[in-house]
């Protein structure tokens, strides 16, 4: 009765979330659009029990303490409060993507934790309510609850800030070649980064221009227009990094290989290969492309100095319950 397992994909933002209007509720400064990443997944089992004297969290077989556990516990508190229960929980979570590959796991982690915990406590919520709840744990997690291509509406309050599917996974077979140039843990993670966004004089302009970029990105996805998509996602990523670089203190996530990849990807696109880039809060480059070009592109990427590995992900489905966790 009090246990459930859920699986969720990570996601890559095409229009980025950077900065909050409300840090506690994680109401974002602007709306965002992303694609779920099939194959980069978290599976989480939650068990609530009267026998437990505190919450516990195991991640990839390692028992967690400190901030990771506190953050999961705070999230469980929201769900316990909704369900009107006071039970502690044992959370066992596995990522199928290599840890230390520099892939953000908070999106898939909090989406899976939300869906599993709600099911374990018998809360029957609509997808948008699950999405809004996941947002409280990590902003980008709200985009991992629905499937495929997803838009997160910035909203006015808790209930109106949620994400929904704008196109299903099979609408367009974009591929994300996640090009790893460093697996090191970030010195400044997203949560601290969001609170610096407003210290950059460029953030106001970035936020004000967001409706235009959201529309262009939405149109590009709905029309399957790669050139239009390439233009807007590269501009959006560079605008976010411009804000990061001009924050106080400044955040400069790029390595030499990051810039090298940006230049090469633009050259390859000019030569006729559908390829464009986006970059999150780190030095790794997400290379967005279309089949059948991904194999040639992967070869090219692997030859670039500083590239450690390339992981490939296609559009992924929604977070869902797993009836047989052994599967
Ligand atoms: C650069 O969702 O990781 O990846 O809400 O503090 O957990 P928290 O932040 P998070 O921020 C994601 C930032 C980003 C852009 C994006 O995914 O939209």
């Amino acid at each position: 009765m009090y246990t459930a397992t859920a699986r969720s994909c990570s996601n890559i933002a095409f229009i980025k979330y950077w900065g909050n209007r409300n840090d506690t509720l994680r109401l974002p400064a602007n709306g965002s659009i992303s694609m779920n990443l099939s194959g980069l997944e978290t599976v989480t089992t939650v068990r609530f029990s009267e026998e437990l004297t505190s919450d516990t969290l195991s991640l990839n077989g390692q028992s967690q303490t400190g901030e990771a556990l506190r953050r999961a516990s705070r999230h469980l508190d929201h769900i316990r409060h909704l369900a009107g229960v006071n039970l502690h929980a044992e959370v066992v979570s596995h990522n199928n993507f290599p840890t230390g590959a520099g892939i953000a796991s908070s999106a898939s982690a909090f989406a899976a934790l939300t869906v599993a915990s709600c099911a374990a406590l018998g809360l029957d919520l609509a997808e948008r309510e699950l999405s809004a709840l996941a947002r409280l744990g990590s902003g980008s997690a709200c985009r991992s609850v629905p499937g495929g291509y997803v838009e997160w509406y910035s909203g006015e309050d808790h209930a109106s800030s949620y994400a929904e599917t704008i196109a299903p996974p099979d609408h367009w077979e974009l591929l994300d070649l996640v090009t790893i140039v460093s697996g090191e843990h970030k010195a400044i993670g997203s949560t601290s980064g969001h609170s610096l966004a407003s210290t950059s004089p460029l953030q106001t302009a970035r936020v004000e221009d967001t409706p235009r970029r959201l529309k262009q990105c939405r149109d590009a996805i709905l029309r399957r227009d790669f050139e239009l998509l390439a233009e807007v996602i590269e501009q959006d990523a560079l605008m976010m990094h411009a804000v990061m670089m001009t924050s106080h203190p400044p955040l400069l996530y790029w390595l030499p290989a990051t810039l090298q990849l940006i230049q090469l990807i633009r050259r390859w696109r000019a030569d006729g290969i559908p390829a464009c880039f986006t970059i999150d809060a780190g030095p790794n480059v997400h290379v967005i492309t279309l089949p059948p070009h991904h194999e040639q592109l992967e070869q090219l990427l692997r030859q670039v100095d500083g590239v450690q590995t390339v992981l490939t992900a296609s559009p992924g489905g929604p977070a869902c319950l797993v009836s047989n966790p052994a599967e």
Side-chain angles (χ1 to χ4, degrees):
M1 162 77 184
Y2 288 131
T3 179
T5 300
R7 164 185 298 148
S8 169
C9 303
S10 178
N11 70 71
I12 179 67
F14 292 159
I15 301 298
K16 306 291 186 188
Y17 151 49
W18 196 245
N20 286 318
R21 275 177 297 136
N22 177 323
D23 279 327
T24 318
L25 287 178
R26 286 190 159 83
L27 297 180
N30 59 277
S32 54
I33 291 181
S34 59
M35 177 179 103
N36 275 5
L37 299 176
S38 171
L40 303 182
E41 295 170 357
T42 300
V43 176
T44 298
T45 299
V46 182
R47 183 174 70 89
F48 290 92
S49 166
E50 280 162 8
E51 292 155 16
L52 298 167
T53 52
S54 64
D55 293 330
T56 63
L57 170 65
S58 152
L59 186 52
N60 294 331
Q62 296 200 327
S63 172
Q64 306 289 309
T65 53
E67 186 46 27
L69 174 61
R70 278 195 295 277
R71 193 168 168 182
S73 260
R74 279 198 300 273
H75 195 60
L76 289 164
D77 286 342
H78 296 299
I79 295 161
R80 283 187 277 250
H81 179 75
L82 264 185
V85 300
N86 215 353
L87 302 171
H88 291 294
E90 174 190 72
V91 179
V92 179
S93 192
H94 290 275
N95 294 329
N96 75 348
F97 44 89
T99 10
I103 299 178
S105 57
S106 69
S108 51
F110 281 97
L113 181 63
T114 304
V115 171
S117 310
C118 287
L121 292 179
L123 283 170
D124 186 17
L125 302 182
E127 184 186 83
R128 71 170 60 173
E129 294 172 304
L130 287 168
S131 171
L133 252 185
R135 189 201 74 240
L136 296 172
S138 171
S140 55
C142 77
R143 297 189 311 237
S144 280
V145 172
Y149 297 89
V150 170
E151 180 162 358
W152 171 11
Y153 309 112
S154 56
E156 297 299 321
D157 54 15
H158 172 66
S160 59
S161 188
Y162 65 90
E164 69 181 10
T165 298
I166 56 171
D170 62 0
H171 166 74
W172 195 15
E173 209 195 338
L174 287 180
L175 294 171
D176 180 0
L177 306 187
V178 191
T179 306
I180 310 296
V181 300
S182 167
E184 266 176 43
H185 206 73
K186 292 174 272 196
I188 305 266
S190 308
T191 306
S192 329
H194 288 297
S195 64
L196 297 180
S198 62
T199 66
S200 163
L202 304 186
Q203 171 74 345
T204 308
R206 190 190 74 87
V207 170
E208 272 175 17
D209 179 62
T210 308
R212 182 192 65 83
R213 298 193 311 286
L214 285 171
K215 180 173 182 334
Q216 183 169 337
C217 184
R218 216 182 285 127
D219 288 349
I221 291 170
L222 296 178
R223 292 189 218 144
R224 304 185 189 90
D225 184 334
F226 193 88
E227 270 303 315
L228 195 65
L229 183 81
E231 186 190 14
V232 72
I233 78 172
E234 291 190 354
Q235 188 192 33
D236 185 86
L238 294 176
M239 284 171 89
M240 179 182 73
H241 282 272
V243 167
M244 291 164 159
M245 289 175 195
T246 52
S247 298
H248 187 78
L251 299 173
L252 179 50
Y253 287 110
W254 298 1
L255 292 174
T258 313
L259 185 55
Q260 172 73 359
L261 285 163
I262 291 175
Q263 288 175 327
L264 284 170
I265 290 158
R266 288 188 159 172
R267 192 186 308 158
W268 295 332
R269 187 156 81 251
D271 290 345
I273 301 176
C276 60
F277 66 83
T278 185
I279 306 165
D280 276 346
N284 300 321
V285 180
H286 292 252
V287 186
I288 309 301
T289 188
L290 285 166
H293 302 272
H294 60 291
E295 284 175 6
Q296 180 196 5
L297 199 53
E298 184 176 336
Q299 297 293 326
L300 290 168
L301 290 167
R302 285 187 184 275
Q303 284 160 24
V304 176
D305 250 5
V307 169
Q308 296 174 358
T309 190
V310 179
L311 308 168
T312 303
S314 53
C320 59
L321 289 169
V322 182
S323 42
N324 180 358
E327 271 170 20

